[in-house]
Amino acid sequence: MNPSEIDRIIAILPFLSTIPHRDWQHAELVSIDPSTPHRIQEGHMLQHAMFMVKGSVRIHKISEQGREITLYRVQGGQSCVLMMASILGESEYEASASIEVESEILLIAVGVFREWMDHNKPLRQFIYQQFVQRITAVTNLLEDIAFKPMNYRLAHFLYTNTNDDLTALKITHEQLAVELGTAREVISRMLKDFQNQGILSLSRGNIRIIDRFALEEIIQQYRS
């Protein structure tokens, strides 16, 4: 890896700035897009630590019945804490990962990564901070699944993924079901209810928000 490429990566992943340039020979920058037959599945023993330079990877769980739920996304400047836990704990990966858009990923062999962790405080601090942030996010997700009704979760997803200027969301009912961890039929029925209430309009693969205030009212109803 040449010095200019290393400098570009460090600008995005500044916690790697303390890694000596000579040690970067053990790292590899790869480009992957969704069409590449590359997917990390639950149960894999990982051979590399991965840091996102750019792009987006969806981290998700798949039940024995084949139902999916999105746990979180890893984007530029981030890492997957479940991958780090697997590597540091020398255990199988506890989720699945799918590339969503063209992405650049920094790969570091597991043995080298453990050495970097031992000798570089900024890297350790970054990993620990990522653990805290992701654990909080996943805990909130579990609380929503356990204690909040689906109409709240759907309203919250639609509200947070649109705004006053961007009212249309390009997503299928099946994709929404995967995001929220439920059946497509449940999502279709609830979207139809929202449409009948004048909250949104539906077309093939698209949802257009008509009344954001109504979505906000649903959200606030279950937050109080």
Side-chain angles (χ1 to χ4, degrees):
M1 195 176 297
N2 62 59
S4 62
E5 201 167 48
I6 294 172
D7 290 342
R8 181 172 70 87
I9 293 170
I10 288 174
I12 299 167
L13 305 170
F15 51 87
L16 296 178
S17 61
T18 56
I19 304 297
H21 272 219
R22 66 178 180 275
D23 289 347
W24 282 84
Q25 63 181 312
H26 303 294
E28 180 184 6
L29 185 65
V30 298
S31 295
I32 305 175
D33 63 57
S35 65
T36 304
H38 182 93
R39 175 169 166 154
I40 299 173
Q41 296 182 326
E42 187 169 352
H44 280 188
M45 292 297 294
L46 302 175
Q47 302 301 311
H48 295 86
M50 304 180 192
F51 295 90
M52 292 295 296
V53 176
K54 73 173 185 179
S56 179
V57 174
R58 184 173 68 92
I59 309 301
H60 52 100
K61 292 281 286 185
I62 305 174
S63 72
E64 292 181 357
Q65 293 75 33
R67 183 176 294 177
E68 289 187 35
I69 184 168
T70 299
L71 299 178
Y72 54 83
R73 285 175 168 80
V74 182
Q75 298 175 323
Q78 300 177 340
S79 65
C80 174
V81 296
L82 288 176
M83 289 185 183
M84 297 306 169
S86 171
I87 291 168
L88 296 174
E90 300 184 34
S91 59
E92 295 178 348
Y93 185 46
E94 294 291 341
S96 296
S98 299
I99 303 291
E100 292 192 301
V101 298
E102 186 175 351
S103 302
E104 279 189 323
I105 301 175
L106 180 68
L107 300 179
I108 304 166
V110 165
V112 174
F113 171 71
R114 292 195 183 109
E115 289 182 11
W116 287 14
M117 281 284 288
D118 287 341
H119 299 102
N120 293 275
K121 183 178 179 181
L123 174 57
R124 289 197 302 274
Q125 289 178 324
F126 169 78
I127 297 299
Y128 298 151
Q129 288 168 358
Q130 290 275 285
F131 270 115
V132 171
Q133 293 168 6
R134 294 301 189 189
I135 288 172
T136 300
V138 172
T139 299
N140 290 338
L141 173 63
L142 292 175
E143 287 180 351
D144 283 351
I145 292 171
F147 304 121
K148 300 288 176 63
M150 185 53 66
N151 66 333
Y152 163 86
R153 295 178 58 214
L154 178 58
H156 186 267
F157 182 91
L158 296 174
Y159 188 85
T160 56
N161 284 278
T162 58
N163 55 50
D164 290 334
D165 298 319
L166 180 64
T167 60
L169 191 60
K170 188 174 179 61
I171 191 169
T172 67
H173 295 195
E174 182 67 34
Q175 289 169 329
L176 253 180
V178 167
E179 291 294 327
L180 299 177
T182 188
R184 181 186 59 79
E185 294 78 10
V186 173
I187 292 298
S188 295
R189 183 173 64 251
M190 200 152 290
L191 286 172
K192 189 67 175 177
D193 288 344
F194 281 7
Q195 181 174 247
N196 291 339
Q197 295 173 48
I199 297 174
L200 51 79
S201 64
L202 300 171
S203 58
R204 189 175 184 84
N206 285 278
I207 301 170
R208 182 173 296 279
I209 306 304
I210 297 172
D211 190 349
R212 282 178 60 78
F213 180 72
L215 290 177
E216 191 173 6
E217 281 191 322
I218 294 171
I219 295 168
Q220 292 301 325
Q221 177 184 351
Y222 293 101
R223 280 182 172 171
S224 58

